[in-house]
Amino acid sequence: MMLLFVCLLCLPLSVLGDDRDAHLYRVDIYMPPEKGRDETAEIRQINDKVNDLTDIKVLFSFKELGNTRIVLVLDVEEPGSWSQLMGFLSRKGYDFSAVSLYPCGVFADDLGVTVPEEM
């Protein structure tokens, strides 16, 4: 987990900055070991799918040898591409989670809400 945090800190500030048009997500895809599973081919298939979606840019990807998790940080430019990717992962039966990296303060400003400083 510490390595993931350090890697996210290595992303350019322009990526994690105050860009109101940025829709950044961290996607964790879990690939538990299965007998006969070709992990390399499955990872390649996921990469091919993401690369086919022109409205999604991969800012960071990581797979540690022996770990069951693939981590992607994605810039999603169009909602349609996001639903295509989520549909693909669901159809393949992957256990995955997605977390928005959209800055909370910017989100609150967009909603017209004041967030207390202690939050």
Side-chain angles (χ1 to χ4, degrees):
M1 188 58 146
M2 179 58 98
L3 181 60
L4 174 62
F5 178 71
V6 170
C7 291
L8 287 176
L9 287 178
C10 294
L11 289 172
L13 289 178
S14 60
V15 169
L16 297 176
D18 201 22
D19 181 5
R20 292 181 187 274
D21 294 328
H23 300 280
L24 304 177
Y25 296 89
R26 186 184 103 201
V27 179
D28 293 352
I29 305 167
Y30 301 94
M31 299 180 75
E34 291 179 7
K35 186 173 181 156
R37 169 174 259 167
D38 186 354
E39 191 175 272
T40 303
E42 289 187 46
I43 292 170
R44 190 174 302 117
Q45 192 175 35
I46 292 169
N47 285 335
D48 289 346
K49 179 61 178 178
V50 174
N51 290 330
D52 287 345
L53 300 170
T54 58
D55 297 325
I56 295 180
K57 294 179 183 163
V58 178
L59 303 175
F60 174 79
S61 63
F62 181 77
K63 169 67 170 90
E64 182 181 29
L65 187 63
N67 193 334
T68 62
R69 180 174 60 165
I70 301 168
V71 177
L72 303 170
V73 176
L74 306 173
D75 180 4
V76 180
E77 296 175 8
E78 293 294 327
S81 294
W82 179 252
S83 62
Q84 288 179 26
L85 177 60
M86 295 297 106
F88 168 79
L89 294 174
S90 293
R91 282 189 307 277
K92 290 293 188 177
Y94 291 118
D95 182 19
F96 65 93
S97 65
V99 177
S100 175
L101 299 177
Y102 189 58
C104 182
V106 174
F107 183 65
D109 289 344
D110 287 347
L111 294 175
V113 176
T114 304
V115 178
E117 288 185 29
E118 60 269 5
M119 289 183 73

